[in-house]
């Protein structure tokens, strides 16, 4: 079976058993506890947690995954991959072990045709039920079922769902190692092909179970690459139809032959694996950067480039690996072909940038990693990162190849902050304890009914309130609490749009809401200060948003959609949203792009936006299924969370986006949109800021008034101001040239006078004098001029004052410097008299301080120092 056939067989098998076939989710998860989608169950986690109601009882998917926690061993074994596909079937409170286990056996033996005599099974050491199903219901030999410990308890390494598991193994035969089964035998002989997880618990840290999930669930995972290796009867996952194609491209580039030697085989496996990982990450919108998932991508890409570089090869390597990956994988993932040009553009830029410093960085490492070196300093690691673009992990890997450790602590102190590597920090609610408080609100009262799309005021009741992380029954005047209502018109911050503010009133008190947020998806927390009386749980309450503020926010949000359309229209479809902030009267929009946007392009973008706004197209919103929205061409953004029912916002016929925010009824209501800035916020990330509505109009009025005032000063109408300013600048430049010529002539004359007054100390000339009022640069030019006019070698020290400060310049001829005289040392003590310091250059030294009134004293000290220095020669 080819990989595509396996995918089709798996989804068809479970579709026939009433499973909803789900497409692969993005590698960029909406789950804030994860950096990457690293398991097949990640898109279904809210259903397992009970945070959302699943739209189906059963589902099946083929999920693309990236896992880089163990990236250092990728390539060193034939089993590990950083990119892989997981075949999975899922049950949300429907069937459990009694169906999952028999179906697993049936698919393996009857669909895939695996020989039951070569299959083994493991269960958790406490799971009598699973063992009984395997032996009594399925009928496998009891001696083929083994009990395991932690390996048979599934968890993701972060807070979330977990549970015991049962694994199916394939016996590759005695030529691959000792017998004994999965537990006790050789791991190269017995390979896991399917993990059946009985999701019934929740943990707050790895292996620390804190309770049961709301319902018993099934989550299974079969690695497509591993089962393909079994079915295609090849030695490893690097020999299957998809991966071997990419490995072949690596062979062609490097000139190496896979199997010729372990050292070169490691590099070829790294290139094959990392080529796939890079392709899929960029295809899903990840851009190389210095933090988060962008850092992971950069590290993987540069690791591959380094391994290719050490074997030579003509041209760039990553583009060849991407081409091969798209050829091998686009049947299963057609979007790869659509995004290929963008992916190639990103990797080409990144590889070219890294290759410029790779050779010199490696030379530095080779110099430092001598036979006597046992530890590489953190300062060198930092220099490699900062100057040569070596991720610290790449430096550690290269050093480890030589048996050398890296002082990571020193590196991190120089970076001033630890970088987030393979795991994302918890970015959700503040603590696990706080999360439990909010879940308790959901358990007792359910989610918030949001009515803010249609109403700005609503009547409801106070369900709960939280003060300093604890549930309370009431709040008094002056206290700040988080209020939870059964229904609310307040929009909770999401999708870049800030939360609403306003009032919540009861018969006994009033609270001012300053912000609204999703403490847990679907539960609106109103941050409020009681300004009058007392509020209590259970009271009827009227909630009213700040209507003018909401209207200004609407204008900015609709403006953001139109701006996004214009950016993609002018710059290209790669200009995907990477973040946004939508506030009253202003917006900020982050997007993927490789370079500064030229001023001319910004003008075109702004023009297109306002042209669309003037057209005053209708803004419509519809609710539909996620699949139908994607068929409509709606654009979705990573970091935003979408359920199976989604809201789509359309502006005219040119912009269609997933969006849960609030919008104007027509595009024209946005008013003008004025771009105010464009800047870089990271590698391959840009940011534009803009004003909308009356804020934009006020800005235009200010600019117009400033232009009119300037015109008044120039006695010119506004339209002629640029030409008049150009003429003035040209005139100023001419006058500055004339002034420079006058100053140069004056310095030359002064240099002649000072040179003529030079004294004689032994065989050398000495000038110590005041030059009057001069700036530092003019004083320097004068000192050099005096040296040129001296009749022989000598030493010149000049002093000058300006704005109360004193400056000194010391100039020594080369002959004096060769005999040990230093201009810097001669003026050092005098600089102290002026209250400052200076440079120590022996030939040309400058110094100064705030006490210009002590210049005569300083020059007297310099004269004594100079005469002493020359008299000793």
């Amino acid at each position: 079976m080819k990989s595509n056939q396996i995918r089709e067989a798996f989804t068809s098998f479970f579709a026939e058993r009433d499973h909803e076939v789900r497409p692969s989710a993005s590698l960029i998860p909406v789950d804030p506890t994860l950096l990457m989608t690293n398991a097949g169950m990640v898109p279904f986690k809210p259903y397992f947690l009970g945070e959302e109601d699943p739209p189906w009882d059963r589902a099946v998917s083929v999920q693309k995954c990236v896992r880089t926690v163990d990236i250092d061993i990728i390539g060193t074994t034939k089993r590990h991959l950083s990119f892989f596909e997981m075949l999975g079937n899922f049950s949300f409170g429907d069937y459990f072990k009694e169906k999952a286990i028999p179906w697993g056996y049936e698919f393996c033996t009857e669909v895939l045709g695996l020989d039951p005599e070569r299959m083994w099974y493991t269960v958790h050491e406490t799971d009598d039920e699973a063992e009984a199903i395997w032996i009594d219901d399925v009928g496998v030999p009891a001696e083929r079922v083994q009990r395991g410990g932690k390996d048979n308890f599934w968890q993701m390494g972060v807070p979330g769902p977990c549970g015991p598991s049962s694994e199916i193994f394939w016996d590759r035969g005695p030529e691959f190692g000792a017998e004994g089964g999965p537990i006790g035998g050789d791991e190269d002989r017995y390979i896991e092909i399917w993990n059946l997880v009985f999701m019934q618990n929740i943990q707050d840290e790895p292996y620390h179970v804190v309770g049961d999930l709301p319902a018993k669930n099934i989550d299974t995972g079969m690695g497509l690459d591993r089962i393909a290796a079994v079915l295609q009867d090849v030695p490893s996952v690097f020999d299957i139809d998809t991966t071997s194609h990419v490995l072949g491209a690596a062979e062609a580039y490097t000139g190496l032959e896979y199997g010729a030697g372990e050292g070169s085989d490691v590099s070829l496996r790294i290139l094959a694996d990392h080529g796939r990982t890079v392709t899929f990450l960029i295809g899903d919108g990840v851009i190389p950067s210095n933090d988060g998932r962008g850092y992971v991508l950069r590290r993987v890409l540069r690791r591959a480039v380094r391994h290719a570089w050490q074997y030579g090869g003509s041209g760039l390597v990553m583009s060849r690996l991407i081409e091969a990956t798209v050829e091998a994988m686009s049947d299963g993932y057609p979007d790869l072909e659509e995004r290929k040009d963008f992916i190639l553009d990103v990797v080409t830029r990144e590889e070219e940038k890294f290759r410029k410093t790779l050779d010199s960085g490696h030379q530095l490492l080779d110099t430092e990693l001598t036979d006597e070196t046992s530890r590489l300093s953190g300062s060198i690691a930092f220099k490699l990162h900062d100057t040569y673009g070596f991720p610290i992990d790449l430096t550690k890997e290269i050093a480890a190849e030589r048996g050398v450790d890296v002082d990571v602590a020193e590196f991190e102190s120089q970076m001033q902050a630890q970088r987030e590597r393979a795991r994302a920090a918890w970015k959700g609610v503040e603590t696990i304890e706080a999360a439990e408080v909010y879940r308790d609100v959901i358990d007792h009262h359910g989610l918030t009914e949001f009515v803010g799309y249609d109403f700005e005021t609503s009547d409801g009741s106070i369900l709960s309130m939280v003060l300093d992380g604890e549930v309370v029954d009431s709040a008094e005047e002056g206290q700040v609490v988080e209020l939870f209502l059964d229904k609310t018109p307040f929009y909770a911050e999401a999708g870049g749009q800030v939360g609403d503010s306003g009032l919540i009133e009861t018969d006994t008190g009033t609270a001012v809401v300053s912000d609204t947020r999703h403490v847990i998806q679907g539960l609106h927390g109103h941050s409020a200060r009681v300004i009058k009386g007392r509020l209590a749980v259970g009271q009827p309450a009227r909630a009213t948003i700040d209507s003018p503020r909401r209207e200004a926010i609407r204008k900015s949000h609709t403006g953001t959609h139109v701006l996004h359309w214009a950016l993609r229209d002018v710059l290209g479809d790669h200009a995907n949203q990477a973040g946004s902030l939508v506030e009253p009267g202003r917006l900020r929009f982050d997007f993927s792009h490789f370079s500064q946007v030229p001023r001319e392009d910004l003008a075109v973008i702004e023009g297109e936006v306002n042209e669309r706004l003037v057209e005053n197209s209708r803004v419509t919103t519809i609710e539909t299924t996620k699949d139908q929205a994607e068929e409509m061409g709606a654009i979705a953004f990573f970091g935003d969370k979408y359920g199976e029912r989604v809201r789509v916002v359309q502006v005219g016929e040119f912009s269609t986006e997933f969006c849960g925010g609030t919008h104007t009824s027509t595009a024209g209501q946005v008013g003008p949109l004025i771009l105010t800035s464009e800047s870089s916020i990271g590698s391959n990330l840009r940011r534009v800021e803009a004003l909308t509505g009356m804020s934009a109009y006020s800005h235009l009025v200010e600019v117009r008034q400033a232009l009119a005032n300037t015109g008044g000063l120039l006695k010119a109408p506004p339209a002629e101001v640029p030409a008049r300013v150009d003429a003035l600048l040209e005139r100023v430049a001419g006058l500055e040239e004339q002034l420079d010529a006058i100053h140069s002539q004056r310095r030359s004359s002064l240099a002649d006078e000072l040179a003529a007054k030079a004294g004689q100390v032994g065989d050398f000339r000495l000038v110590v004098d005041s030059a009057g009022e001069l700036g530092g640069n003019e004083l320097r030019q004068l000192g050099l001029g005096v040296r040129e006019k001296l009749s022989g070698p000598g030493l010149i020290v000049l002093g000058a004052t300006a704005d109360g400060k004193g400056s000194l310049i010391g100039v020594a001829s080369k002959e004096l410097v060769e005999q040990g005289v230093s201009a810097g040392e001669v003026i050092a003590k005098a600089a102290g008299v002026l209250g400052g310091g200076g440079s120590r250059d022996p030939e040309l030294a400058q110094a100064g301080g705030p006490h210009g009134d002590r210049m005569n004293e300083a020059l007297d000290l310099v004269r004594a120092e100079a005469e002493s220095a020359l008299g000793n020669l």
Side-chain angles (χ1 to χ4, degrees), residues 152-223:
N152 281 99
F153 192 89
W154 189 91
Q155 54 87 34
M156 289 196 299
V158 295
C162 58
S165 69
S166 178
E167 297 172 312
I168 302 176
F169 286 80
W170 176 254
D171 181 0
R172 301 173 70 195
E175 63 270 29
F176 289 95
E179 61 182 12
I183 300 174
D186 195 303
E187 65 178 2
D188 284 331
R189 173 173 176 173
Y190 300 96
I191 61 169
E192 175 202 332
I193 59 173
W194 204 346
N195 190 13
L196 314 178
V197 177
F198 311 126
M199 196 84 67
Q200 59 195 50
N201 307 117
I202 186 169
Q203 65 180 19
D204 62 354
E205 60 183 62
Y207 302 105
H208 186 255
V209 174
V210 294
D212 294 333
L213 291 170
K216 292 183 177 181
N217 307 303
I218 289 295
D219 157 31
T220 83
M222 173 184 278

Side-chain angles (χ1 to χ4, degrees), residues 463-627:
L463 300 178
S464 181
M465 60 178 71
V466 175
L467 175 64
D468 296 330
E470 295 183 0
V471 176
V472 295
D473 294 327
S474 62
E476 308 292 335
E477 185 172 328
Q479 289 185 314
V480 177
V481 294
E482 197 154 34
L483 296 173
F484 298 92
L485 309 176
D486 58 342
K487 63 179 178 179
T488 182
F490 284 78
Y491 181 84
E493 181 177 352
Q497 179 174 327
V498 295
D500 277 330
S501 60
L503 294 176
I504 293 177
E505 301 169 286
T506 71
D507 291 340
T508 61
T510 302
V512 173
V513 177
S514 59
D515 192 20
T516 310
R517 63 173 185 147
H518 287 286
V519 294
I520 290 178
Q521 189 67 27
L523 181 63
H524 291 221
H526 306 77
S527 180
R529 177 182 292 275
V530 181
I531 61 169
K532 177 182 175 183
R534 174 177 177 274
L535 273 66
V537 172
Q539 282 188 305
R542 168 160 290 191
T544 306
I545 67 169
D546 182 337
S547 181
R549 181 175 180 273
R550 165 75 80 81
E551 180 59 29
I553 293 171
R554 285 192 187 104
K555 295 178 187 297
S556 293
H557 205 152
T558 302
T560 299
H561 283 221
V562 180
L563 174 60
H564 185 212
W565 165 82
L567 284 166
R568 289 167 62 90
D569 186 58
V570 175
L571 303 179
D573 289 343
H574 68 273
N576 289 316
Q577 178 177 343
S580 66
L581 176 65
V582 178
E583 293 184 322
R586 64 179 291 266
L587 63 90
R588 187 178 72 208
F589 192 84
D590 303 335
F591 59 98
S592 306
H593 194 56
F594 313 111
S595 60
Q596 180 179 4
V597 181
R599 184 182 301 176
E600 296 78 12
D601 285 352
L602 288 173
V604 173
I605 291 165
E606 185 180 82
E608 287 194 4
V609 169
N610 285 283
E611 183 178 348
R612 289 296 191 180
L613 296 180
V614 170
E615 289 174 359
N616 199 27
S617 299
R618 194 95 187 128
V619 179
T620 57
T621 58
I622 61 171
E623 286 196 7
T624 183
T625 66
K626 184 179 177 183
D627 291 342

Side-chain angles (χ1 to χ4, degrees), residues 362-370 373:
H362 240 287
Q363 288 180 12
L364 174 62
L365 260 179
D366 288 339
T367 301
E368 296 292 331
L369 297 177
T370 63
T373 304

Side-chain angles (χ1 to χ4, degrees), residues 235-261:
S236 77
V237 293
F238 290 94
D239 300 286
I240 65 173
D241 56 328
T242 51
T243 318
S244 65
H245 187 70
V246 188
L247 193 144
E251 286 181 306
Y253 175 84
T254 60
L256 301 172
E257 181 181 353
Y258 188 54

